[in-house]
Structure formats: C-alpha cells, structure tokens
Amino acid sequence: MTRILHLTDLHLRQHQPGSADNPDRLSREMMGILDDLSQRLAPLAIDLIAVTGDLLDVPDEVIAGGALPGLDRAAWLAAVERDLHLVREWLQAQHRPHVVCPGNHDHAASLAKVFPEAADVVDAAGFRFFCFWDELGPDRQPRRTGPRLDLFEQSLTAAEHDVAQIHIQHYAIEPPISHKGWRYDYVGAQAMKQRLEESRRVRAVLSGHYHPGSLVHDSHVLYSGAPSFCERPHRFRIYDFSAPEGVRVEDHCVLSAN
C-alpha cells in the first residue's frame, strides 16, 4: 500500500507584505499551521507529500510583471523566494519524498528556482508522477498547451511510460466546476478525461484551485481536488492506494471542525 498526503492552496505570506484579499485565507498563519500538521504526521505513516499549487499568495500584479505601491518588483520577488524557501524547508523537514506544481497565485519562475528538484516526471512511492505546470487563459479558464500538452500525450502513449501513474496539477479535469462566473476546469476537460480513461495507466489526478474541494471516482481514475489548506479548519486529504486499483480517501483537519 502507498499512502499519499495531499496539500493544496496554502496561500502563504510571511516575508511578503499583507495577506490574501480574501480574509478567510489565513496567509500569515500558515507556517504555524504547517508546524501543527508536522506534529500529526508520524502516526499517519505518509509515503509521499503532494502539493498542488498556490503554495503562496503572490499578488496578480506581481505575477503579471508589475509591483504594488510601497515595494518595488525586485524586492517583492525576493520576498516571494524567501516564502518559497519556508515551504521547501518544511517539506524537507518531513523526511518524505514530495512533488509540487504551481498554481495561479504562484510565481512559477521563482518556484522553479527555489525547488530545483521539481521535475515534470518523478518516480517515487511506487508511482510515476507527472507534474503539470499549466496556466490560466485570458478568460481565467485553465488550458493545457504546448510542452505540457506534449507531456500529457507522452504519459498516455509512450512505451516508456506504461506504468502506474498519478498526475499532479492545480486545475480540475473532473468534475466540471463553475463558480462566481469562473470556470475551474480545463478547456477541453472532457476530451482529456476520455484520454485518461482510455490509457488505463493513470490511477489518480490530484488538483486544487477550487477551495471547497471535489472528489469523483466513478471509473478506474480518481479525480480529487483537495480542499484548501489556508482556510479553517485547515483540511488535507490522504489516499491509501492498494494494488491493482483500490484506493481509500480520507479528509482530515488540523483544527477541530466544530
């Protein structure tokens, strides 16, 4: 059996000024909550930690190439890197393999710099992990294009990838999600789902982005969007994978849900 801990949407700010625009996203409390989570990991016997984006809460203006009043762009990006180092040091301190991908609130170039071990393809804990660094389009709906689409096709068709896989990404393929006028699933999501189902290689697609979370397991592929970690009660998801296709999913909270 393989046990995976799934974290997503931390929206952390420690060295960056301020906090997330949404007051429910407790950006400045994240390091303390992560420390609380550390205290709970030993008895859980986790084999790998997957973090599916929005590690940080970087303002849209900074991601788009600008800055905010009071702090120039170079200084803000330096703060972003320091915040990413905090997350990386926390992951390393857990002494377990980890895989990460950015979300729409991460500065992808900074994440690649601070996580040099991050790769598109990672073999760990009995699976081959494909990590997709996808982006939002102008309409804020996610798209998989270019090299990432090529990697997706290779994962499903190349002979060297005919192994048990888990796909890691920030955005959802299943279910279709529309919230407050925004689409949270990919353009072409149903065609992507069909390709995944036909391949018979992929055990799970793990994502974030939609903070309430989602879970669909109506086929041999598990589509799981974990709830956001940044909002009380600071939820995380655990998967127990057993051969050949069994999986058990449990949601946990750092704080009491009451």
Side-chain angles (χ1 to χ4, degrees):
M1 185 180 74
T2 298
R3 174 167 281 194
I4 294 175
L5 167 65
H6 183 186
L7 285 176
T8 196
D9 292 84
L10 283 65
H11 286 268
L12 180 147
R13 287 198 201 181
Q14 192 78 16
H15 294 97
Q16 296 175 88
S19 188
D21 290 339
N22 185 332
D24 291 333
R25 300 176 182 179
L26 303 179
S27 300
R28 304 203 72 82
E29 298 182 24
M30 281 297 95
M31 286 312 304
I33 300 299
L34 284 170
D35 288 342
D36 291 342
L37 175 58
S38 297
Q39 305 305 310
R40 301 188 56 179
L41 288 191
L44 293 177
I46 300 298
D47 295 304
L48 179 139
I49 300 172
V51 188
T52 55
D54 284 359
L55 285 68
L56 305 187
D57 190 86
V58 182
D60 289 343
E61 296 88 342
V62 176
I63 292 174
L68 294 178
L71 196 65
D72 66 30
R73 178 170 174 77
W76 201 295
L77 289 178
V80 166
E81 289 188 18
R82 290 196 293 272
D83 281 348
L84 285 168
H85 275 291
L86 291 176
V87 179
R88 184 172 189 266
E89 290 163 5
W90 182 86
L91 286 167
Q92 290 179 323
Q94 309 317 308
H95 304 294
R96 295 165 173 86
H98 61 266
V99 291
V100 300
C101 68
N104 57 298
H105 288 279
D106 291 313
H107 185 254
S110 297
L111 193 149
K113 181 178 179 180
V114 174
F115 285 84
E117 72 277 15
D120 292 336
V121 184
V122 177
D123 288 326
F127 288 97
R128 181 160 295 170
F129 291 85
F130 286 83
C131 304
F132 294 97
W133 293 37
D134 298 312
E135 298 175 345
L136 296 177
D139 58 358
R140 297 190 65 81
Q141 187 172 5
R143 286 162 168 78
R144 179 163 292 166
T145 60
R148 299 162 184 122
L149 182 58
D150 292 341
L151 179 65
F152 181 69
E153 288 297 323
Q154 291 166 16
S155 73
L156 304 180
T157 61
E160 64 265 32
H161 295 317
D162 190 11
V163 295
Q165 303 175 13
I166 294 176
H167 289 196
I168 303 295
Q169 56 204 47
H170 188 55
Y171 308 108
I173 291 176
E174 178 74 7
I177 300 172
S178 179
H179 182 65
K180 295 184 177 180
W182 302 116
R183 290 299 302 267
Y184 283 68
D185 55 323
Y186 287 86
V187 172
Q190 289 308 300
M192 296 169 71
K193 180 183 178 183
Q194 183 176 351
R195 298 285 290 113
L196 288 161
E197 301 287 348
E198 290 172 349
S199 77
R200 304 294 296 186
R201 297 179 177 183
V202 182
R203 294 284 300 277
V205 177
L206 308 185
S207 62
H209 192 46
Y210 182 59
H211 283 210
S214 61
L215 186 66
V216 176
H217 196 197
D218 57 4
S219 67
H220 65 277
V221 181
L222 172 73
Y223 300 91
S224 178
S228 66
F229 189 72
C230 65
E231 299 169 31
R232 290 190 173 92
H234 309 297
R235 292 173 289 176
F236 57 97
R237 189 163 279 178
I238 290 178
Y239 312 97
D240 289 325
F241 290 94
S242 57
E245 293 188 356
V247 58
R248 183 177 66 182
V249 182
E250 294 180 345
D251 282 343
H252 296 255
C253 304
V254 174
L255 303 180
S256 169
N258 295 327

